[in-house]
């Protein structure tokens, strides 16, 4: 039923490019492994664009030979036959010299990790990465804190969906640094389900009446119907991950600030922003009841000085406790170096470890989603002032705690 369809899971060229951009610089002509490649839409794009003008060397793995034949034909038509090698194999049991430890700069899996689960994928594929290598995979997950009974009735028997917070925690527990997170838009589902729905509609005759095909058609119709009725409750999210032990995991040591850092933290905030407002805000929060000892973090430069700073303080959503991430500052000499991302990740991990459940940030919508933040409006949370919807974001750290809805109440030093 799926043969000849352009995709075997939600996705788009735009999302593939977005995930690729979150990987950061790649080696020239990187070695890429595309697992569960299907007919190869992602493999073709990666072969042409990963690594810049030189493209990439892609090994595409799938168990279904007709998909691999489609990929070879498409690669030849695009002049990419020399860059794409197909392998008919079980992506969960890759052996031999071609799949030795450290063989790939980039391991890619759009819509295929579910076959044996997110956690198993993290564990099994980690060894394949070369030092500094990156794992990219997409995963279906809940997008609401309390999915409906109808949505659960379909998903729970098939595949236990989790939330962004739980998948991020699983990735970190498995020894990965989270480089970025991308929530696939609804249009990515249409790219998959549109052709599939048309195939279901047009199948008829003896083939459709065969027991196996009849069962597959019934299951697919149910899946399409559930998406139509409950599609706002779940979606696909892409994770861009790098093993902490492979590459620059220790490039930016992070820690809670100490009394000796106070002056340096102020200097970093003064240097990072055009006015002293953020530096003054940090100083004012230090003396406010909203200050939480241990949740003001710094990243250290190679000489031990403060390269970046991030702060979490207590706030409220309709009277329920939450945390506000503000400000976050990087010394100009270290901007775009990873220092800011390092200090934010460490700070969020510290908040999660101490049992906090919700973090809010007003910031750049192209930056904070890499940590798992999504528009706060999805939870019914709004700022007490006018702000673009995509700029007010929320991150659920503990999805066992109900997410409050309502207006954010900031501490008095924020002046709102």
């Amino acid at each position: 039923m799926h043969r000849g369809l352009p995709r075997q899971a939600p996705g788009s060229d735009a999302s593939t490019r977005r995930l690729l951009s979150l990987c950061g610089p790649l080696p020239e002509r990187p070695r890429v492994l595309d697992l569960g490649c299907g007919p190869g839409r992602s493999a073709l794009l990666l072969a042409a664009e990963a690594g810049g003008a030189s493209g990439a060397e892609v090994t595409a793995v799938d168990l279904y030979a007709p998909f691999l034949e489609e990929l070879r034909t498409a690669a030849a038509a695009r002049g990419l036959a020399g860059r794409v090698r197909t392998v008919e194999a079980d992506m969960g049991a890759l052996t031999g010299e071609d799949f030795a430890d450290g063989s790939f700069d980039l391991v890619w899996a759009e819509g295929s990790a579910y076959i044996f689960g997110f956690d198993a994928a993290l564990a099994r594929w980690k060894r394949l990465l070369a030092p500094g290598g990156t794992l990219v995979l997409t995963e279906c997950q809940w997008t609401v804190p309390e999915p409906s009974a109808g949505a659960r009735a379909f998903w729970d028997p098939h595949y236990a969906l989790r939330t962004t917070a739980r998948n991020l925690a699983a990735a970190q527990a498995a020894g990965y640094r989270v480089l970025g997170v991308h929530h696939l838009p609804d249009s990515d589902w249409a790219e998959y389900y549109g052709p599939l729905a048309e195939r279901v509609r047009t199948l008829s005759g003896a083939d459709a009446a065969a027991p196996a095909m009849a069962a597959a058609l019934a299951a697919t119709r149910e899946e399409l119907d559930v998406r139509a009725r409950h599609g706002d409750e779940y979606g696909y999210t892409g994770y861009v991950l790098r093993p902490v032990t492979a590459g620059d995991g220790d490039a930016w040591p992070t820690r809670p600030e100490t009394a000796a850092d106070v002056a340096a933290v102020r200097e970093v905030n003064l240097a990072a922003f055009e006015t002293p407002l953020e530096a003054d805000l940090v100083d004012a929060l230090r003396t406010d009841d909203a200050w939480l000892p241990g949740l003001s973090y710094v990243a250290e430069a190679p000489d031990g000085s403060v390269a970046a700073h991030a702060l979490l303080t207590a706030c409220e959503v309709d009277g329920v406790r939450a945390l506000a991430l503000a400000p976050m500052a990087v010394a100009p000499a270290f901007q775009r170096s990873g220092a800011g991302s390092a200090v934010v990740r460490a700070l969020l991990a510290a908040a999660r470890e101490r049992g906090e459940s919700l973090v809010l940030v007003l910031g750049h919508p192209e930056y904070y989603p890499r940590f798992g933040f999504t528009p706060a409006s999805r939870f019914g949370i709004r700022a007490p002032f006018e702000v673009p919807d995509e700029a007010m974001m929320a991150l659920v750290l503990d999805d066992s705690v109900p997410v409050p809805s309502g207006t954010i109440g900031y501490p008095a030093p924020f002046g709102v």
Side-chain angles (χ1 to χ4, degrees):
M1 181 169 62
H2 288 260
R3 187 172 181 178
L5 297 180
R7 292 188 176 277
Q8 301 304 311
S12 65
D13 289 351
S15 283
T16 298
R17 289 191 176 98
R18 174 59 180 157
L19 291 167
L20 184 59
S21 74
L22 293 173
C23 296
L26 295 171
E28 185 175 354
R29 207 166 175 87
R31 300 162 296 167
V32 178
L33 176 62
D34 187 359
L35 294 168
C37 64
R41 188 70 173 263
S42 297
L44 294 168
L45 188 150
L46 294 168
E49 300 183 18
S54 62
E57 298 176 359
V58 176
T59 300
V61 175
D62 205 283
L63 268 175
Y64 190 50
F67 284 158
L68 298 178
E69 180 58 34
E70 290 179 36
L71 173 53
R72 287 191 292 269
T73 301
R78 300 187 189 194
L80 297 172
R83 299 186 190 178
V84 177
R85 181 173 69 97
T86 61
V87 178
E88 186 178 344
D90 180 352
M91 66 179 184
L94 300 173
T95 59
E97 293 183 3
D98 289 343
F99 302 103
D101 292 0
S103 294
F104 298 96
D105 303 300
L106 180 61
V107 174
W108 199 274
E110 286 194 52
S112 59
Y114 80 93
I115 291 173
F116 45 79
F118 189 78
D119 294 348
L122 297 178
R124 295 185 190 185
W125 297 339
K126 191 177 187 180
R127 69 168 186 83
L128 297 167
L129 291 167
T134 303
L135 171 63
V136 176
L137 68 170
T138 63
E139 175 77 345
C140 194
Q141 60 184 43
W142 297 122
T143 56
V144 293
E146 296 293 336
S148 67
R152 283 199 173 276
F154 174 79
W155 279 107
D156 287 354
H158 290 85
Y159 188 72
L161 300 189
R162 301 192 296 203
T163 61
T164 299
R166 290 190 63 189
N167 284 330
L168 287 171
Q172 291 166 344
Y176 289 88
R177 179 184 300 277
V178 181
L179 302 183
V181 176
H182 171 61
H183 301 282
L184 275 62
D186 287 343
S187 56
D188 283 16
W189 286 82
E191 285 211 23
Y192 171 48
Y193 276 156
L196 180 59
E198 180 63 16
R199 176 66 56 83
V200 169
R201 188 185 68 81
T202 56
L203 275 174
S204 61
D207 288 341
M213 181 59 76
L217 286 169
T220 302
R221 290 189 183 102
E222 180 187 14
E223 182 181 340
L224 294 168
D225 179 63
V226 169
R227 181 65 189 176
R229 290 186 289 113
H230 300 288
D232 59 336
E233 300 180 55
Y234 61 92
Y236 257 89
T237 294
Y239 294 88
V240 181
L241 311 171
R242 180 168 296 156
V244 173
T245 55
D248 60 355
D250 297 323
W252 297 104
T254 57
R255 57 174 175 78
E257 71 162 38
T258 67
D261 298 315
V262 172
V265 166
R266 179 172 176 82
E267 289 304 314
V268 167
N269 278 276
L270 286 171
F273 298 102
E274 295 180 354
T275 73
L277 291 176
E278 285 78 8
D280 292 345
L281 173 61
V282 175
D283 290 342
L285 285 168
R286 290 185 195 283
T287 61
D288 192 85
D289 289 342
W291 183 265
L292 301 171
L295 290 185
S296 178
Y297 258 63
V298 298
E300 292 184 348
D303 64 359
S305 62
V306 174
H309 170 253
L311 176 63
L312 287 170
T313 51
C315 66
E316 295 182 346
V317 177
D318 198 26
V320 179
R321 177 188 170 97
L323 300 182
L325 172 55
M328 193 281 282
V330 182
F334 301 109
Q335 290 176 2
R336 299 186 181 278
S337 68
S341 292
V343 76
V344 171
R345 291 190 186 99
L347 181 60
L348 294 174
R352 185 179 286 111
E353 288 172 5
R354 61 186 280 165
E356 301 291 349
S357 61
L358 179 65
V359 178
L360 304 166
V361 66
L362 174 61
H364 201 295
E366 291 297 317
Y367 182 76
Y368 285 98
R370 71 184 62 182
F371 309 110
F373 283 92
T374 58
S377 60
R378 294 186 181 180
F379 303 99
I381 298 172
R382 55 189 176 274
F385 42 80
E386 289 295 322
V387 61
D389 181 72
E390 65 274 14
M392 189 75 245
M393 291 168 276
L395 172 64
V396 177
L397 299 178
D398 182 354
D399 56 13
S400 69
V401 177
V403 179
S405 61
T407 302
I408 303 168
Y410 286 100
F414 280 86
V416 295

